Amino acid sequence: MAIDSDAGSCVSTDIAAGIPPAAALFHSLADETRLRIVARLARGEARVVDLTTELGLAQSTVSKHLACLRDCDLVDYRAEGRQSFYSLTRPELMDLLASAEHLLAATGHAVALCPTPAAGRPARDGDGVALAAGEAL
């Protein structure tokens, strides 16, 4: 499910487009809002209204990110009357995020966003050599 051009796309859409599953998973978790939602749901299930209040986000924002996480099979919900209670489906996701935190601590948080090529300029490999369109780094 593609959320929008700013938020990226979810695992199922990326995999369908030929992106390796691990890259698609990390891409889906690369959004700060989705990470905040996952962290909150790690403490227990919550309704959309709970998430909007606790995270200070609009209902539409929370709903679209929950939809993405559901498409990724990382979050699901149970209905109780007219309310939906969201929870993590894969508790091992928190192990993955904890491992990432340990790695960040070990590297002194030396992680930076990878630069993207400027419009009209080719991507370059680690040695500064220009890559052909579609060529992998």
Side-chain angles (χ1 to χ4, degrees):
M1 163 186 184
I3 290 183
D4 62 39
S5 59
D6 295 327
S9 56
C10 291
V11 173
S12 57
T13 302
D14 288 343
I15 292 171
I19 295 175
L25 172 65
F26 284 108
H27 180 78
S28 71
L29 294 172
D31 185 272
E32 180 182 358
T33 299
R34 286 193 288 274
L35 283 177
R36 291 176 63 204
I37 290 170
V38 166
R40 169 52 189 88
L41 293 178
R43 297 193 325 259
E45 65 183 12
R47 301 168 302 159
V48 171
V49 68
D50 301 327
L51 295 169
T52 60
T53 301
E54 293 176 36
L55 302 176
L57 299 168
Q59 181 272 325
S60 60
T61 300
V62 169
S63 293
K64 74 178 182 178
H65 287 291
L66 283 170
C68 177
L69 292 167
R70 283 189 60 223
D71 284 351
C72 301
D73 291 328
L74 299 175
V75 167
D76 206 356
Y77 72 96
R78 67 176 178 83
E80 188 174 299
R82 294 176 48 189
Q83 299 182 35
S84 296
F85 292 85
Y86 289 85
S87 61
L88 295 180
T89 60
R90 308 301 320 176
E92 57 269 31
L93 174 59
M94 297 317 296
D95 296 334
L96 174 68
L97 295 176
S99 293
E101 286 296 325
H102 290 298
L103 179 60
L104 289 169
T107 61
H109 296 279
V111 177
L113 294 177
C114 296
T116 56
R121 294 181 49 207
R124 300 188 177 274
D125 68 9
D127 297 320
V129 176
L131 300 172
E135 186 177 8
L137 292 176

